[in-house]
Amino acid sequence: GTMLKSTVACARGTLNDGLKVAFTAGAAMGFGVVGLAAVGLSFLVIVMKPDRSQNQAVQYTHSFGFGASSIALFARVAGGI
C-alpha cells in the first residue's frame, strides 16, 4: 500500500515527493488509530458508569488499558509468546 505509493513517487519524482506521500499516509493512519482509541475509551467509561462511581469506572478503564498495552508489548518483544 503506502510503501508502494511512496516508492512510485520517489521513482517518478524526487525523494521529497516520496516523503510527502509517506508522511501523509502515516498521519492519516495515526489520526485513525487515535480516533478509534478515543471512541473505545469513551464507550468503556459509559458502559462501566451505571454500576460504579466515576472514579471506579476510570480506574477499571485505566487497568484495562494497562493490560492491553502489556499484551501488545509482550507480543511484540517476545515474538508472540
Side-chain angles (χ1 to χ4, degrees), residues 5-40:
K5 290 178 185 178
S6 59
T7 304
V8 169
C10 285
R12 291 185 180 166
T14 63
L15 178 62
N16 194 25
D17 294 336
L19 289 174
K20 285 180 184 177
V21 170
F23 183 77
T24 304
M29 180 60 77
F31 280 121
V33 168
V34 170
L36 287 174
V39 168

Side-chain angles (χ1 to χ4, degrees), residues 35-75:
L36 287 174
V39 168
L41 181 64
S42 300
F43 177 74
L44 281 175
V45 171
I46 289 169
V47 167
M48 289 188 200
K49 180 71 173 118
D51 298 341
R52 298 169 182 85
S53 69
Q54 183 71 26
N55 289 338
Q56 286 177 327
V58 170
Q59 184 178 6
Y60 290 149
T61 305
H62 178 267
S63 301
F64 180 79
F66 183 74
S69 64
S70 297
I71 290 171
L73 173 71
F74 290 121

